[in-house]
């Protein structure tokens, strides 16, 4: 890159080392002197240091959810202020680490052409929590290869803020269903069956708030939906300090691209609610169903996710953990030699038992 500028970083007021956001204490923490600081304290310290350096960090009035001009023009190329090394990222990376000294860095220019997040949900679970959850997932799996949980694999856990769209919408629905009830009884001569037929009509309205859809094409939608739900009541106004010490991406999937998926999720919820209202029938068959979605609105937020990618025998296994609740999902490999050994031992045991009975 031809043009190099500074990055945003948060310095420890005590030892001047780079600070990271601590999920356990919900403050910025220093790994060198073990001090913790409130975000406002560190922000004031950084601002005072900036003023002494003669930099202009005045903020212009902007429309809601837009980046300031200072943030938009902050970077074109990235240079680590700790060691001077150049940081190379893809187009969507907004927070990362220096590959030379591992100093946490924030790259606001990656977000210059997109909306500023409305809110962020800070990490509640640490890397150690992610390791423990991974080991717990592997526990009690007799067919899991024994070397799959090696320390080398556990060290590849990455915490990142994933861009999400949260959709609010209203829905009106109506439907007609054919239902039956079956009664059976008998006397000394006959068995009887009586079937009652019903025509059910259901209609109503529902309001949905915060239906999530990840805004990154690099993240598997199935994984992101599997680690739901997130508790939105713990979200806070977005500050770049929350990104320090984690990876972060900006969205590359526009909010309008999720309309069909959000409509599908809202419809499925409504259909499940309707089925729950039809209890007590032997069968319920839909004759007609209509759902109308209206008044949709999308909010842009960053949600915490721990990711684990590991290679085993030429195949990549991916795990995702909710950085707030600790819910972990992923596929585990099978040791096929152990599988066939167990199957053979079961077969031999069954054969011996049959012979003994005979």
């Amino acid at each position: 890159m031809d043009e190099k500028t500074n990055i945003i970083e948060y310095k420890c007021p005590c030892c001047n080392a780079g600070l990271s956001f601590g999920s356990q204490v919900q403050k910025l923490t220093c790994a060198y002197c073990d001090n913790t600081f409130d975000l406002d304290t560190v922000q004031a310290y950084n601002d005072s240091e900036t003023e002494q350096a003669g930099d202009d960090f005045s903020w212009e009035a902007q429309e809601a959810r837009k980046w300031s001009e200072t943030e938009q023009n902050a970077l074109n190329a990235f240079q680590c202020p700790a060691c001077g090394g150049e940081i190379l990222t893809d187009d969507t990376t907004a927070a990362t680490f220096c590959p030379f000294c591992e100093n946490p860095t924030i790259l606001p220019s990656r977000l210059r052409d997109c909306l500023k997040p409305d809110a962020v949900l800070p990490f509640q679970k640490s890397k150690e929590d992610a390791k423990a959850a991974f080991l717990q997932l592997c526990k009690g799996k007799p067919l899991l290869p024994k070397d799959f949980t090696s320390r080398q694999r556990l060290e590849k856990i990455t915490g990142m803020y994933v861009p999400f769209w949260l959709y609010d919408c209203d829905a009106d629905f109506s439907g007609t269903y054919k239902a039956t009830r079956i009664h059976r009884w008998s006397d000394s001569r006959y068995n009887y069956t009586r079937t009652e037929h019903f025509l059910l009509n259901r209609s109503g309205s529902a309001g949905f708030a915060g239906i999530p859809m990840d805004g990154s094409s690099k993240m598997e939608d199935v994984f992101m939906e599997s680690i739901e739900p997130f508790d939105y009541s713990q979200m806070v106004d977005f500050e770049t300090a929350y990104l320090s010490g984690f990876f972060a991406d900006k969205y590359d999937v526009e909010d309008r691209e999720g309309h069909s998926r959000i409509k599908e999720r809202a419809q499925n919820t409504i259909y499940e609610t309707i089925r729950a209202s039809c209890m007590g029938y032997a069968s319920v068959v839909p004759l007609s169903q209509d759902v109308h979605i209206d008044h949709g609105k999308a909010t842009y937020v960053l949600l915490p996710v721990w990711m684990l990618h590991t290679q085993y025998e030429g195949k990549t296994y991916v795990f995702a953990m909710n950085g707030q609740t600790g819910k972990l999902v992923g596929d585990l490999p099978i040791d096929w030699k152990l599988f066939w050994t167990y199957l053979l031992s079961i077969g031999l045991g069954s054969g011996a038992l049959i012979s003994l009975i005979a």
Side-chain angles (χ1 to χ4, degrees), residues 138-164:
C138 297
K139 189 177 180 180
K141 306 293 192 300
L143 298 182
L144 184 70
K146 298 185 182 303
D147 58 343
F148 184 73
T149 56
S150 66
R151 182 174 178 81
Q152 290 76 12
R153 291 188 175 85
L154 291 179
E155 291 299 330
K156 295 181 181 179
I157 298 176
T158 303
M160 65 183 304
Y161 283 103
V162 179
F164 270 81

Side-chain angles (χ1 to χ4, degrees), residues 132-188:
F134 176 77
L135 293 175
Q136 183 63 34
L137 180 69
C138 297
K139 189 177 180 180
K141 306 293 192 300
L143 298 182
L144 184 70
K146 298 185 182 303
D147 58 343
F148 184 73
T149 56
S150 66
R151 182 174 178 81
Q152 290 76 12
R153 291 188 175 85
L154 291 179
E155 291 299 330
K156 295 181 181 179
I157 298 176
T158 303
M160 65 183 304
Y161 283 103
V162 179
F164 270 81
W165 296 106
L166 304 184
Y167 294 85
D168 299 341
C169 62
D170 296 325
D172 297 316
F173 59 90
S174 61
T176 303
Y177 304 84
K178 181 175 68 175
T180 61
R181 281 192 184 134
I182 300 175
H183 304 272
R184 293 184 175 88
W185 71 96
S186 60
D187 57 23
S188 59

Side-chain angles (χ1 to χ4, degrees), residues 57-96:
F57 275 84
S58 60
W59 297 91
E60 296 183 6
Q62 300 287 329
E63 295 180 3
R65 301 173 65 207
K66 297 291 185 179
W67 289 99
S68 69
E69 184 177 352
T70 302
E71 290 172 315
Q72 291 178 356
N73 297 326
L75 294 173
N76 288 308
F78 314 119
Q79 188 175 45
C80 177
C83 69
E86 187 173 74
I87 301 173
L88 302 177
T89 66
D90 60 29
D91 291 339
T92 61
T93 300
T96 184

Side-chain angles (χ1 to χ4, degrees), residues 1-20:
M1 298 182 183
D2 296 327
E3 184 179 356
K4 289 184 171 63
T5 59
N6 293 323
I7 63 174
I8 292 179
E9 65 168 348
Y10 292 88
K11 289 289 190 180
C12 176
C14 296
C15 68
N16 209 37
L19 295 174
S20 301

Side-chain angles (χ1 to χ4, degrees), residues 89 119 175 201 210 213 355:
T89 66
N201 292 307
M213 188 197 77
S355 299

Side-chain angles (χ1 to χ4, degrees), residues 168-172 208 292-297:
D168 299 341
C169 62
D170 296 325
D172 297 316
F208 293 88
H292 178 67
I293 307 294
D294 199 5
H295 304 112
K297 182 185 72 173

Side-chain angles (χ1 to χ4, degrees), residues 115-352:
L115 299 175
K116 184 176 181 177
D118 292 287
V120 59
L121 183 59
F123 272 87
Q124 303 290 325
K125 299 297 181 180
S126 66
K127 186 175 183 178
E128 293 302 318
D129 293 328
K131 292 180 181 180
F134 176 77
L135 293 175
Q136 183 63 34
L137 180 69
C138 297
K139 189 177 180 180
K141 306 293 192 300
L143 298 182
L144 184 70
K146 298 185 182 303
D147 58 343
F148 184 73
T149 56
S150 66
R151 182 174 178 81
Q152 290 76 12
R153 291 188 175 85
L154 291 179
E155 291 299 330
K156 295 181 181 179
I157 298 176
T158 303
M160 65 183 304
Y161 283 103
V162 179
F164 270 81
W165 296 106
L166 304 184
Y167 294 85
D168 299 341
C169 62
D170 296 325
D172 297 316
F173 59 90
S174 61
T176 303
Y177 304 84
K178 181 175 68 175
T180 61
R181 281 192 184 134
I182 300 175
H183 304 272
R184 293 184 175 88
W185 71 96
S186 60
D187 57 23
S188 59
R189 298 182 60 187
Y190 301 103
N191 295 322
Y192 302 92
T193 300
R194 182 181 70 196
T195 303
E196 299 176 333
H197 297 269
F198 300 87
L199 184 64
L200 307 180
N201 292 307
R202 296 289 188 269
S203 64
S205 60
F208 293 88
I211 304 176
M213 188 197 77
D214 72 271
S216 173
S217 61
K218 294 185 293 185
M219 306 302 293
E220 290 289 342
D221 294 341
V222 174
F223 267 25
M224 295 301 99
E225 292 179 8
S226 297
I227 62 175
E228 296 175 11
F230 292 88
D231 182 3
Y232 302 145
S233 67
Q234 297 183 6
M235 284 198 298
V236 296
D237 292 337
F238 176 78
E239 295 288 347
T240 54
Y242 288 108
L243 307 185
S244 186
F246 298 97
F247 288 89
D249 272 358
K250 71 175 184 179
Y251 66 87
D252 59 357
V253 177
E254 298 288 341
D255 61 338
R256 62 179 179 273
E257 298 180 45
H259 292 174
S260 60
R261 177 58 180 153
I262 295 305
K263 182 178 181 180
E264 179 185 356
R265 296 192 70 176
Q267 285 178 334
N268 290 339
T269 300
I270 290 173
Y271 294 154
E272 290 175 3
T273 303
I274 292 175
R275 285 195 292 269
S277 72
C278 299
M279 300 296 291
Y281 297 95
S283 66
V284 178
V285 179
L287 299 178
S288 65
Q289 295 184 122
D290 180 63
V291 177
H292 178 67
I293 307 294
D294 199 5
H295 304 112
K297 182 185 72 173
T299 302
Y300 176 37
V301 302
L302 298 180
L303 300 183
V305 178
W306 287 101
M307 296 297 301
L308 169 62
H309 295 77
T310 180
Q311 290 279 343
Y312 187 78
E313 294 187 350
K315 182 178 178 180
T316 300
Y317 293 88
V318 183
F319 301 84
M321 190 183 93
N322 186 314
Q324 180 193 39
T325 66
K327 182 179 180 181
L328 179 71
V329 298
D331 295 325
L332 294 171
I334 295 177
D335 188 328
W336 289 105
K337 291 182 179 179
L338 282 176
F339 172 81
W340 291 115
T341 300
Y342 277 119
L343 189 63
L344 181 60
S345 63
I346 293 173
L348 291 175
S350 299

